[in-house]
Amino acid sequence: MDVEGTTTARVLTRERRVKGDFHYFLLVICSCIVLLTSMVIADRLFGIDYYDLVRDPNAIAGQPNYFGLVSNLGVILWFTGGIAALQAHWAGAGSDAPHLRRALLAGGLFSGLMGIDDLLMLHEAVATAGVPEPLVLVPHMLLLATLCYHAYFIRRAIQWNLLASAVASLGASFLVDAVSEHIAGLVFVEEGFKLLGIMFLAVFLSLTSHAALNMKHR
């Protein structure tokens, strides 16, 4: 390619990058407008003070800052693993390994859904409406089962022991939760298993995503 052609290609690439950056800029602005508009609607139509939506829950309730500390840490870890897996999937990692790519997608969606669920207490809210809690968790379990299914085919290329430990720990937490209301002290055991499972899964998804991205750039 001659010098003129090279210069033209660089100009076109720069123009595409600028247009892409502008689109993302508009996306951020529009998303923020939608969120702020929703807050105004909640305040004016439903009587939900917008101040209660932007403040820290412990500040609103007048409780110490450490309330919910471990729960918040769990949410952070859910999102850490989920974002890593979805980013790797979005970047095209594992394009030559369909089971790896699908495992990243299923793992990212499961971890992200669990993070949102824990943050907003979704399945508890639905369960209070009369829907059995096990039924509410069906989408979560389907995503986890999908992750395990695809991970089985690539078990020699991933840290399968971390995934197995995560599933075992989360399963133990679920089982203990079924009886924890009737036996004193089991809530601590339940939450301990849950935190352990979240940590195992976050590390598994992060390591798998890193390995998949390295494969893509070889």
Side-chain angles (χ1 to χ4, degrees):
M1 184 180 292
D2 56 20
V3 175
E4 183 178 353
T6 302
T7 303
T8 301
R10 289 177 178 173
V11 170
L12 291 175
T13 300
R14 184 163 56 251
E15 289 179 351
R16 284 196 295 268
R17 186 171 63 248
V18 170
K19 289 180 179 179
D21 290 344
F22 183 68
H23 290 160
Y24 286 120
F25 175 82
L26 286 180
L27 177 62
V28 171
I29 293 296
C30 291
S31 299
C32 188
I33 290 175
V34 169
L35 180 58
L36 294 176
T37 302
S38 300
M39 291 170 55
V40 173
I41 292 174
D43 184 273
R44 298 300 180 182
L45 297 184
F46 301 102
I48 301 175
D49 191 343
Y50 77 91
Y51 200 50
D52 291 337
L53 297 176
V54 299
R55 296 177 64 205
D56 182 88
N58 287 333
I60 296 174
Q63 302 295 341
N65 294 336
Y66 60 80
F67 270 37
L69 177 62
V70 176
S71 178
N72 291 338
L73 176 60
V75 171
I76 292 172
L77 291 174
W78 280 128
F79 286 140
T80 297
I83 291 173
L86 292 177
Q87 174 64 23
H89 175 83
W90 189 19
S95 298
D96 299 329
H99 285 296
L100 173 59
R101 186 164 172 76
R102 290 165 187 164
L104 289 171
L105 178 60
L109 290 176
F110 170 74
S111 195
L113 177 60
M114 290 298 295
I116 294 174
D117 194 323
D118 269 4
L119 181 65
L120 303 179
M121 301 179 64
L122 294 182
H123 76 264
E124 289 91 343
V126 175
T128 56
V131 181
E133 185 172 350
L135 184 62
V136 177
L137 295 175
V138 167
H140 307 63
M141 296 302 102
L142 289 177
L143 286 173
L144 182 58
T146 302
L147 167 60
C148 293
Y149 171 78
H150 291 293
Y152 174 80
F153 293 95
I154 55 173
R155 58 190 181 278
R156 295 183 179 179
I158 60 174
Q159 300 287 343
W160 64 268
N161 56 324
L162 292 176
L163 177 59
S165 299
V167 173
S169 299
L170 293 173
S173 174
F174 183 79
L175 291 176
V176 174
D177 180 47
V179 297
S180 62
E181 294 181 357
H182 309 290
I183 302 177
L186 279 189
V187 172
F188 180 81
V189 177
E190 173 205 343
E191 294 299 329
F193 274 125
K194 180 180 178 181
L195 181 62
L196 186 62
I198 297 172
M199 295 175 72
F200 274 131
L201 185 64
V203 174
F204 167 76
L205 291 177
S206 298
L207 291 177
T208 304
S209 302
H210 181 71
L213 289 171
N214 281 342
M215 289 171 54
K216 181 179 184 296
H217 294 294
R218 286 178 182 174

